[in-house]
Amino acid sequence: MAKKKQIVILGGGIAALTTAWYLSDQPGWQDRYDITVYQLGWRLGGKCASSRNAERHWRSEEHGLHIWPGFYANAFGLLGNCYRELGGDVRQHFRGQDHVCMLDPQEQPEQLWSVYFKPDKDFPGLHNPEPSLALTLRKLLDLISGHFGKALQEAHALELQLPADAPDWLRRLLQARPMGGPEATAPETPLSQAQQLLARQQPLWQHDDAQHRHIAQLLRDFRDPVVAWLGGARRRMSRARKAIELGCCIAIGCFFDGVLRKGLSAIDRRDFRDWLLHHGAHRETVDWAPVQVLYDSPFAYVGGDTEKGANLAAGVALGVALRLGLTYRGHLFYDMQGGMGDVVITPLYRALEARGVRFEFFHRVRRLELKRSAGGHVIRSIHFGRQARLKCGIYRPLVTVPVLGEECWPDRPRYEQLVEGDRIRDGGHDLESHWDDWTTQETEFCLDLQQGDQVVLGISLGALKTICAELCAVDPDWRALVNGLPTVQTQGVQLWLSKSGKQIGWKQSGGWIVTAPQPHSVVADMSHVQEDWNPPPGSVQYLCGPLQGDYLAQYPAPDPAVPARARQQVHDETVRWLECEAKRLWPGCVDPKTGGFDWKLLLDADGLQGPARLGRQYLRPNINPSDRYVLSPAGTPKLRLSPDNSGFDNLVLSGDWTRTAMNVGCVEAAVMSGMAAARALCGHPRKIHGEFFLQA
């Protein structure tokens, strides 16, 4: 019998687990290879990990705030298959969310704007039709047309006058549609002409530059007079005007820059806002809340600087925007009915273990060692720091949460299973921390690879400068990736309040605010997550955003004081945010005596006063190298390496830092990368949903 190949998966984040899923998804895979996942510490999930704290009401404690948009076809497809294998239904663990709130400082007085997205009866991942960029642009023009129709109705009600230089088509349109209704005899507009050209059967990517630039000019001929006309009712019509201008500028840029033929990456050399300005948008429009969402959601601030560091490649931003608003299935967003670890990571772990995938916890990857081969270099061995020894040979990571009746990840190792468990617990060591001095107690373990063995590198980019030092030394593409693609530290805060969401000012039950004041620019009411409180909190609020500065990364490890400094920074920024900014979102949280935040709202069984009560909430600085979020500033997406093109024959890559059809840090991109890594090794899966979205 031929010796089975060894597939070594380094890291246990969502991308790595996806690779393991598809590698083990083919009949007879056990006869061909062994799959082993090596994971730092006691839990899986990477930046998607969460745990339950038994000492604090079994509360769910997250790495950050996770939202599942309705375009996550691959992620929902993966999880749906996993739940079916375990005898469940993924749809029971997600709740559709059709509203998103945006704080719009441009409106005076400042308003919390609730935007509704119409749901359908579909569900992501259930044989959804494949999106294409051409079809999505057609939908975009239909959306612009809809905004224009509503603007016509509103303009009639306001008796809005046309400028003296308004084109004849706009004058005739207003005369032909006195009530703003659809008239069969309505004059043709430049927008309708562009729509007719797009509706032709000829594939759009076969058009030449002249045809595409003609469409771009038609859209300019429509945009400019309409924006000038609606500007006459600046306050009342500002949303319609900016929506039409933004949509037109996006479409104009796509056609003028040849995106349909060249792909979205053709415009990645520019920042998204700069790209919009280049194609005629006004500054007021590019600073509008819906554009701000695209920067806040992926922490797109180099160095965490929310004032000067905003930078997001135009193609990346546009791909996310079009997917999010025009390709969702079912609902715009989905709220998990539990922690990320509960709903996503635990079922994946249980199913993979049942299939026969091995998990080796407590293994810190230190470095990859190369050797020369006929084609250049290959990975010869993997050097680990073994953090702890097991008493019984296998580690059982999960605990049963009584209030759920289900197994979940605990917030600390199960010390009773570890030979060094008492020393780790009594010393207060954090086995996930880059700076903890327990690293000096780890034992060296070297795994040598044989011919035919394969390595899947599923560790995030921030940790690779050390781990992949030898790769960087021999391969300029690796040097460019590690040194040129920036990462940012982030922060997550969870607050348990005595008042309900409506009592503190939420307009509707639950929901998300996606352009909240910095640095906690994304806020969610997560009161639906079940925990063991008696009585239960009035509401649970999650906050997240970038954590400014990179000075902590300069401290050499080990240095146990670094995590404490970072947590203090999160504490101080959150105190300021609650005192000065929270009232803009939650008017019901104001202390009538001070005008600042009412600290008594924070639940605290110890009776602490003032900001000290924040110490009983959950504050998490994500400063470990592998926890840092991978950015996509202008000009950098080209530095990413494809999962199947690492430059080394026995190495494939898996993570949202690789080159995918999205090139942005999110669960869907991680799943797409994990699928591509598995395909490179075993040919499965053949299809990745949305992989060709960048093509026409």
Side-chain angles (χ1 to χ4, degrees):
M1 179 180 292
K3 180 181 180 297
K4 290 195 289 186
K5 296 179 180 180
Q6 184 176 199
I7 297 182
V8 178
I9 299 178
L10 305 180
I14 189 69
L17 296 178
T18 300
T19 304
W21 177 269
Y22 283 100
L23 287 172
S24 62
D25 202 37
Q26 295 285 280
W29 69 269
Q30 299 96 331
D31 299 329
R32 299 192 297 275
Y33 37 77
D34 292 319
I35 304 172
T36 306
V37 177
Y38 287 88
Q39 170 63 36
L40 170 76
W42 72 95
R43 61 178 174 172
L44 301 172
K47 289 190 281 292
C48 294
S50 75
S51 56
R52 293 282 181 162
N53 189 328
E55 295 180 358
R56 294 186 182 271
H57 311 282
W58 289 104
R59 71 187 190 184
S60 178
E61 297 175 344
E62 296 275 0
H63 259 58
L65 178 54
H66 295 280
I67 185 169
W68 283 54
F71 72 82
Y72 272 20
N74 294 296
F76 275 110
L78 167 71
L79 205 55
N81 291 334
C82 177
Y83 272 94
R84 277 192 292 274
E85 196 162 301
L86 296 172
D89 186 343
V90 68
R91 289 173 290 187
Q92 297 177 354
H93 299 273
F94 287 86
R95 179 186 66 179
Q97 182 64 252
D98 301 316
H99 288 86
V100 62
C101 294
M102 292 178 278
L103 190 68
D104 193 350
Q106 291 184 1
E107 298 192 356
Q108 298 299 325
E110 183 180 68
Q111 295 185 33
L112 194 59
W113 175 23
S114 180
V115 184
Y116 172 74
F117 288 80
K118 185 179 180 179
D120 59 39
K121 296 182 179 180
D122 207 343
F123 188 83
L126 298 181
H127 312 293
N128 306 134
E130 184 76 7
S132 72
L133 186 53
L135 179 59
T136 305
L137 283 176
R138 290 191 182 106
K139 289 183 178 180
L140 176 62
L141 295 197
D142 291 342
L143 186 64
I144 295 169
S145 181
H147 280 294
F148 180 53
K150 293 177 182 178
L152 286 172
Q153 295 178 4
E154 185 75 8
H156 278 293
L158 293 174
E159 297 183 353
L160 184 60
Q161 298 300 310
L162 279 171
D165 59 351
D168 290 342
W169 64 263
L170 185 53
R171 294 183 182 279
R172 292 196 304 270
L173 179 62
L174 290 171
Q175 294 169 357
R177 301 175 65 183
M179 300 305 295
E183 297 284 342
T185 59
E188 190 174 72
T189 70
L191 175 60
S192 65
Q193 293 175 37
Q195 289 176 294
Q196 291 167 21
L197 289 173
L198 289 177
R200 292 177 181 174
Q201 294 300 311
Q202 181 186 5
L204 293 178
W205 60 90
Q206 293 181 5
H207 291 186
D208 57 28
D209 287 342
Q211 289 171 304
H212 283 188
R213 295 200 174 193
H214 175 57
I215 295 173
Q217 187 58 53
L218 286 172
L219 294 172
R220 288 195 197 94
D221 292 343
F222 170 80
R223 175 198 63 188
D224 293 346
V226 169
V227 169
W229 170 53
L230 295 178
R234 189 173 187 83
R235 186 177 226 175
R236 186 81 178 268
M237 303 290 288
S238 63
R239 288 180 185 172
R241 175 174 52 81
K242 285 182 280 194
I244 291 170
E245 181 178 355
L246 178 60
C248 286
C249 288
I250 287 173
I252 289 166
C254 286
F255 286 108
F256 189 83
D257 291 338
V259 168
L260 279 162
R261 293 186 298 102
K262 302 174 186 176
L264 288 169
S265 60
I267 59 174
D268 275 334
R269 66 187 183 278
R270 289 183 181 271
D271 169 69
F272 183 56
R273 282 193 172 111
D274 289 342
W275 181 74
L276 291 174
L277 291 169
H278 178 70
H279 288 291
H282 292 88
R283 172 55 66 179
E284 184 182 22
T285 298
V286 302
D287 290 337
W288 192 31
V291 177
Q292 184 68 30
V293 170
L294 299 174
Y295 288 79
D296 287 351
S297 299
F299 312 108
Y301 300 98
V302 177
D305 187 344
T306 56
E307 293 185 1
K308 300 178 181 179
N311 196 325
L312 182 60
V316 172
L318 183 54
V320 172
L322 295 176
R323 282 183 170 92
L324 180 63
L326 297 173
T327 71
Y328 68 87
R329 297 295 168 184
H331 301 274
L332 178 71
F333 291 130
Y334 289 85
D335 290 333
M336 289 178 293
Q337 301 301 286
M340 191 76 171
D342 309 338
V343 174
V344 180
I345 306 303
T346 294
L348 282 172
Y349 167 68
R350 289 175 54 212
L352 287 169
E353 187 183 44
R355 286 180 170 189
V357 175
R358 291 178 53 214
F359 290 88
E360 294 287 351
F361 294 91
F362 307 107
H363 282 76
R364 182 191 304 273
V365 180
R366 290 183 173 175
R367 65 185 178 94
L368 302 182
E369 182 180 348
L370 297 178
K371 71 174 181 181
R372 287 190 174 275
S373 69
H377 291 84
V378 296
I379 309 300
R380 175 169 68 184
S381 56
I382 306 164
H383 293 261
F384 296 92
R386 184 178 281 152
Q387 298 176 293
R389 293 169 294 164
L390 304 178
K391 291 181 179 179
C392 299
I394 187 169
Y395 182 67
R396 296 297 180 191
L398 303 179
V399 296
T400 299
V401 179
V403 69
L404 301 177
E406 297 176 354
E407 289 186 318
C408 298
W409 301 92
D411 69 327
R412 63 203 68 182
R414 299 189 66 180
Y415 301 113
E416 72 277 7
Q417 299 184 35
L418 308 179
V419 173
E420 299 87 355
D422 290 345
R423 290 170 53 206
I424 295 171
R425 180 193 60 226
D426 296 343
H429 295 291
D430 180 357
L431 298 187
E432 292 181 333
S433 174
H434 173 71
W435 283 276
D436 198 289
D437 56 10
W438 184 257
T439 56
T440 62
Q441 305 297 312
E442 296 172 356
T443 57
E444 178 81 11
F445 166 58
C446 181
L447 177 65
D448 294 321
L449 302 178
Q450 306 300 317
Q451 185 174 1
D453 292 346
Q454 293 284 337
V455 179
V456 178
L457 182 57
I459 300 171
S460 193
L461 179 67
L464 299 188
K465 192 166 190 176
T466 300
I467 292 173
C468 298
E470 290 191 27
L471 283 66
C472 294
V474 302
D475 191 321
D477 290 339
W478 271 91
R479 288 196 297 275
L481 169 70
V482 171
N483 295 323
L485 192 60
T487 62
V488 65
Q489 56 194 19
T490 64
Q491 56 185 314
V493 175
Q494 296 172 220
L495 307 174
W496 288 263
L497 306 179
S498 59
K499 283 187 176 182
S500 71
K502 288 187 177 180
Q503 287 174 326
I504 64 173
W506 278 101
K507 289 186 175 182
Q508 70 243 7
S509 177
W512 295 73
I513 300 175
V514 290
T515 55
Q518 299 289 358
H520 299 308
S521 52
V522 182
V523 178
D525 187 321
M526 301 295 287
S527 304
H528 56 275
V529 176
Q530 192 173 3
E531 299 170 343
D532 193 15
W533 294 78
N534 188 20
S539 65
V540 185
Q541 306 296 329
Y542 287 16
L543 323 172
C544 75
L547 184 61
Q548 186 168 2
D550 278 328
Y551 69 96
L552 294 170
Q554 309 306 317
Y555 286 87
D559 186 346
V562 169
R565 293 190 190 102
R567 192 176 188 279
Q568 186 63 49
Q569 182 179 347
V570 175
H571 177 277
D572 294 345
E573 290 189 8
T574 304
V575 168
R576 185 201 64 79
W577 190 91
L578 290 172
E579 285 281 19
C580 303
E581 307 290 358
K583 68 186 76 174
R584 297 167 63 186
L585 311 180
W586 307 326
C589 73
V590 175
D591 185 334
K593 295 182 179 179
T594 66
F597 184 73
D598 185 356
W599 296 101
K600 297 189 295 298
L601 294 178
L602 298 180
L603 297 185
D604 173 26
D606 298 326
L608 298 176
Q609 299 299 313
R613 296 173 78 92
L614 192 59
R616 296 297 184 264
Q617 312 303 302
Y618 187 63
L619 311 180
R620 182 182 178 89
N622 291 308
I623 60 170
N624 289 319
S626 62
D627 287 338
R628 293 171 64 94
Y629 186 89
V630 182
L631 299 177
S632 295
T636 65
K638 64 183 180 182
L639 302 178
R640 293 171 179 254
L641 300 175
S642 299
D644 60 350
N645 189 24
S646 72
F648 301 90
D649 287 344
N650 61 345
L651 177 68
V652 298
L653 311 177
S654 186
D656 64 12
W657 51 274
T658 66
R659 184 175 298 169
T660 67
M662 294 192 67
N663 290 338
V664 69
C666 67
V667 170
E668 180 74 353
V671 171
M672 294 174 83
S673 178
M675 295 170 75
R679 184 170 60 188
L681 293 171
C682 70
H684 176 69
R686 296 181 63 183
K687 179 179 176 59
I688 301 175
H689 188 88
E691 189 173 31
F692 301 107
F693 182 79
L694 299 189
Q695 301 179 13

